[in-house]
């Protein structure tokens, strides 16, 4: 089981609080309707099998005055790649990139939302959705095939791919020589990213900041 904790960033790690749920993976902070909340999924496992994926779920929980509120299930499906602040799109990537799209004049909590698969012919991971006013999606390719959008061969995790919400490739960032990327994530400004650099031996040797410039 995966537990979710919140703690202060002091040297003692004080104020440690645990969320009382069975599983909570890849949590992310958000400000939604002026509330500070955490969105999490119940699994980060391979999402290629739709039946298994739909057995998992995505949740939201308020955090205020050092305490968790009551968790609220948003929908079925482990969408741990991020959501937009207006709750109109959720994404996930663990071999397949999946997206949940809200209906017109609705949110992704609606039963009328559409669950779809993007880049079905490619193995995708580390999907992360930015939080600025013009959201972008970053992800890594598992390689050993032509990469999405570029149709050029590449090594696993050699590039960070960035697309807009319509799937148009905006850019890709190549890892420094001798390294590959892992654990990609947008920063709070929605423009820059952070990632780890991994050696050929699988050692996560460095944490890097990737500027939008």
């Amino acid at each position: 089981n995966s537990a979710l904790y919140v703690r202060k960033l002091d040297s003692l790690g004080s104020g440690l609080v645990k969320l009382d749920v069975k599983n909570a993976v890849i949590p992310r902070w958000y400000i939604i309707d002026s509330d500070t909340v955490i969105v999490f999924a119940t699994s980060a496992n391979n999402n290629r099998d739709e039946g298994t994926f739909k057995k998992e779920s995505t949740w939201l929980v308020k955090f205020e005055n050092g305490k968790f509120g009551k968790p609220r299930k948003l929908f079925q499906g482990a969408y741990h790649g991020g959501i937009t602040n207006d709750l109109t799109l959720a994404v996930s990537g663990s071999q397949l990139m999946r997206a949940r799209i809200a209906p017109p004049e609705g949110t992704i909590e609606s039963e009328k939302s559409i669950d779809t698969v993007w880049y079905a012919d490619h193995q995708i991971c580390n999907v992360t959705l930015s939080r600025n006013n013009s959201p972008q999606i970053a992800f890594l390719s598992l390689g050993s095939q032509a990469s999405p959008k570029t149709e050029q061969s590449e090594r696993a995790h050699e590039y960070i791919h960035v697309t807009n919400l319509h799937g148009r490739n905006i850019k890709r960032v190549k890892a420094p020589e001798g390294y590959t990327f892992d654990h990609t994530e947008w920063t709070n400004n929605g423009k820059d990213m952070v990632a780890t650099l991994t050696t050929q031996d699988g050692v996560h040797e460095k944490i890097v900041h990737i500027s939008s410039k």
Side-chain angles (χ1 to χ4, degrees):
N1 294 352
S2 300
L4 171 57
Y5 295 89
V6 171
R7 49 157 283 186
K8 294 182 179 179
L9 291 178
D10 56 30
S11 60
L12 299 177
S14 61
L16 186 67
V17 184
K18 180 182 178 181
L19 178 63
D20 187 19
V21 295
K22 183 177 180 180
N23 274 319
V25 302
I26 315 185
R28 288 183 169 90
W29 292 99
Y30 291 89
I31 302 295
I32 296 178
D33 294 332
S34 300
D35 290 330
T36 299
V37 303
I38 298 173
V39 175
F40 63 92
T42 57
S43 172
N45 292 337
N46 186 326
N47 67 6
R48 185 167 290 276
D49 181 83
E50 184 161 350
T52 301
F53 175 75
K54 286 294 184 67
K55 288 180 181 178
E56 304 298 338
S57 51
T58 303
W59 294 70
L60 177 152
V61 62
K62 185 176 179 180
F63 190 81
E64 185 177 34
N65 297 324
K67 297 180 180 179
F68 287 107
K70 182 179 179 180
R72 178 176 103 231
K73 185 169 78 170
L74 295 176
F75 39 76
Q76 291 299 123
Y79 283 96
H80 50 69
I83 63 174
T84 53
N85 285 349
D86 61 1
L87 297 179
T88 57
L89 175 71
V91 294
S92 173
S94 181
Q95 287 210 358
L96 296 182
M97 185 189 290
R98 293 183 177 272
R100 183 176 175 89
I101 305 168
E105 309 301 325
T107 73
I108 43 181
E109 293 186 77
S110 169
E111 293 182 356
K112 295 182 179 180
S113 294
I114 297 173
D115 292 287
T116 187
V117 175
W118 293 342
Y119 310 132
D121 296 331
H122 299 277
Q123 295 187 55
I124 301 299
C125 63
N126 284 248
V127 170
T128 173
L129 177 64
S130 70
R131 306 181 193 181
N132 55 3
N133 293 328
S134 300
Q136 304 173 76
I137 301 169
F139 58 89
L140 302 175
S141 168
L142 296 186
S144 70
Q145 58 189 346
S147 68
K149 299 300 176 185
T150 63
E151 298 304 324
Q152 297 175 359
S153 180
E154 62 183 53
R155 293 182 294 117
H157 291 202
E158 182 179 7
Y159 289 89
I160 298 174
H161 296 269
V162 181
T163 74
N164 63 15
L165 299 190
H166 302 291
R168 184 174 66 84
N169 193 51
I170 298 173
K171 65 179 178 180
R172 59 180 192 155
V173 181
K174 190 177 187 299
E177 193 66 30
Y179 291 97
T180 55
F181 288 117
D182 206 357
H183 303 124
T184 48
E185 190 71 43
W186 293 99
T187 62
N188 287 341
N189 68 15
K191 298 178 181 179
D192 301 339
M193 283 182 281
V194 294
T196 58
L197 293 183
T198 308
T199 67
Q200 294 179 355
D201 296 325
V203 178
H204 292 77
E205 196 170 81
K206 301 178 181 181
I207 298 175
V208 294
H209 169 261
I210 303 163
S211 173
S212 58
K213 299 179 181 179

